[in-house]
Amino acid sequence: MGPRLLPLPARRGAPLLGAALLGGVLLVAARARADQDRDGAESCRACRGLADSFSRGLERTEHEGFGGGNTAWEEEKLAKYQHSETRLLEVLEGVCSPSDFTCHQLLEQSEEHVEQWWFHERQQHPDFFQWLCMDRLALCCPPGTYGPDCRPCAGGPRQPCSGNGRCDGDGTRRGTGLCVCSPGYGGPFCAECGDGYYEASRNKSHLVCAECYRACGRCTGPEDSSCLRCKRGWVLHEHRCIDIDECGTEMAHCRANQFCVNTEGSYECRGQTAPRLALAAWALDRLAARNATRATGGTEPSAWMWMSVPAPRSRCARGHRRCARTRRAATAASAPVATSGRMGTVWRTSPLMPQRRASLTT
């Protein structure tokens, strides 16, 4: 009996490494395909620009061989200019602008095709763009088609994507042929209204979608009472979308040094800066004062009560000294200036809240 071979133990990291390599290969392939699609669209665009410029040159030189005068002599001697090499060279001189490198490169590559069309194919194939860019160079496709074989786009070549979007690769030898819908439209053929839009009008060939009320995800009309589904941050109640107060529930997630501010459809976490702290304290005092007013039968009408109290004399009042606020009087910035040297004005909070006193001197 010969030696027995034992299987090698499988490495745990091998499957992960293989998956990572496969993912990298797929990512590179996707990027390469995207680059090819972009290059294909640019090549078709360049060829179309060259063909359009060439056609304009033909229109410009159509009557340049005739200078006027003896018409019979001109027709006999100069009629050949229309199909002459001289006219072709004059047209080609103005096809590409001096700084358009892509046009010059394409013209150099297709020079033989241009001469063949001019001297042999012109009468049979009058459409220069179709003959050069579609039939010979195979850079473009007819409108409403895409890909190497010029297949019909989604929705058909007559009206791709129902007229409510664009076909990926339309008119080029690249792309997927899938629809990229315009805002407000959806579905594989862009024949439906997208989220946040409703069907305003429709006939056999056209669809018009209009925008819903801002809180509606789906709706039947523009009113706020025509909602069928709400966007995130809103809740549906009797066909209306009501804003959710995330700050009053456990849906808000703010840090310990931040406070929550509810907004329409969402919330914000704001930093505890000094003005905002004062604003938050003021809101709390307002709420406490309202509760105190209800409890005492209206004896204290406001959360803040103005009162005049003796103010401490300023030690900086004499000479050329200048007063500066310290942290002890941090809340004095929101108090009005006193009207006399002996009296100052302060804010006193409701007796249910911790008292904050601040005095100012003139």
Side-chain angles (χ1 to χ4, degrees), residues 280-337:
W282 177 81
L284 290 175
D285 289 344
R286 286 288 303 272
L287 180 61
R290 183 182 303 172
N291 296 335
T293 302
R294 293 176 181 175
T296 59
T299 56
E300 187 171 350
S302 176
W304 300 98
M305 183 175 65
W306 294 100
M307 61 179 300
S308 297
V309 297
R313 293 184 179 181
S314 172
R315 297 181 180 179
C316 309
R318 299 178 181 179
H320 300 282
R321 299 178 183 178
R322 181 180 180 183
C323 286
R325 292 191 179 119
T326 62
R327 294 185 179 179
R328 295 180 180 178
T331 57
S334 58
V337 179

Side-chain angles (χ1 to χ4, degrees), residues 221-242:
E223 300 83 8
D224 61 346
S225 58
S226 60
C227 299
L228 300 176
R229 178 169 55 83
C230 297
K231 295 180 180 179
R232 185 177 181 180
W234 305 78
V235 61
L236 186 64
H237 178 69
E238 297 181 354
H239 299 290
R240 296 178 185 271
C241 291
I242 309 300

Side-chain angles (χ1 to χ4, degrees), residues 54 58 61 64 78-93 111 114-120 122:
F54 186 85
L58 293 180
T61 59
E64 285 189 359
L78 303 178
K80 294 183 179 180
Y81 171 80
Q82 298 294 318
H83 307 282
S84 66
E85 185 177 2
T86 302
R87 184 187 179 193
L88 175 61
L89 294 177
E90 290 179 358
V91 173
L92 292 179
E93 286 180 357
E111 183 177 356
V114 174
E115 293 178 356
Q116 181 182 357
W117 180 83
W118 179 259
F119 293 112
H120 305 288
R122 182 180 176 187

